[in-house]
Amino acid sequence: MSDGSRGRARRALPRCWRRAALAALVAGAPFWCPVPPSTAAAASARSVASVAGGTLPASAQTVRVETAEFVFRPAVIAVSAGRPVRLVFANRGRLAHQFQADYLRALPARIWDDATLAEVQGVTLVRVEPAGTASIEFYPRRRGRFVFACTIEGHREAGMRGVLEVK
């Protein structure tokens, strides 16, 4: 391969991917790269993610979660341990909302919305803008009941919280 062809191949990758790869190599940073909407839609449609050393099949447990002013619907999200999970958030409210569950901080996951795709080692929170959607995929292993909440100031206190139940 000539130097010219290597240069063309390098330019074919989005700049943010090159930066993310370099950051991950140097500092162990998570991969975070804005992607064009068509790419995000394709990734969503494929429903395949690199999670816990494998791929997330299309048969994953899918739970749709609506957010609105100071409520998650459903407030109890029940999933099975040992099976991949896809949570799909839809914000029906007029304010942005966040989903935070300490349980997810130690799990590899994939998060995406209309413009961004991220594969991370541990999730701090998922933010959903008004009228927006976001998804997270992960592989739960530990059983139990784990509290989640919206961590935007005043939302948790107004009752925007629930339980992730891993059976």
Side-chain angles (χ1 to χ4, degrees), residues 1-12:
M1 181 186 290
S2 72
D3 288 334
S5 64
R6 267 188 273 155
R8 280 192 299 275
R10 199 173 293 135
R11 279 191 296 270

Side-chain angles (χ1 to χ4, degrees), residues 40-128:
S44 176
R46 280 194 310 268
S47 300
V48 175
S50 174
V51 176
T55 59
L56 189 65
S59 62
Q61 305 169 78
T62 300
V63 180
R64 299 192 190 303
V65 181
E66 283 190 6
T67 63
E69 272 57 71
F70 317 123
V71 66
F72 286 102
R73 286 189 206 103
V76 176
I77 300 172
V79 298
S80 298
R83 290 189 51 219
V85 172
R86 180 179 305 112
L87 300 180
V88 180
F89 297 94
N91 187 346
R92 304 292 182 228
R94 293 173 41 205
L95 303 172
H97 295 293
Q98 296 177 168
F99 172 86
Q100 180 188 4
D102 288 339
Y103 178 77
L104 298 177
R105 288 181 187 247
L107 297 177
R110 179 178 181 202
I111 307 167
W112 73 91
D113 63 15
D114 295 332
T116 307
L117 168 67
E119 291 184 15
V120 295
Q121 177 61 42
V123 176
T124 303
L125 62 88
V126 177
R127 184 178 178 95
V128 188

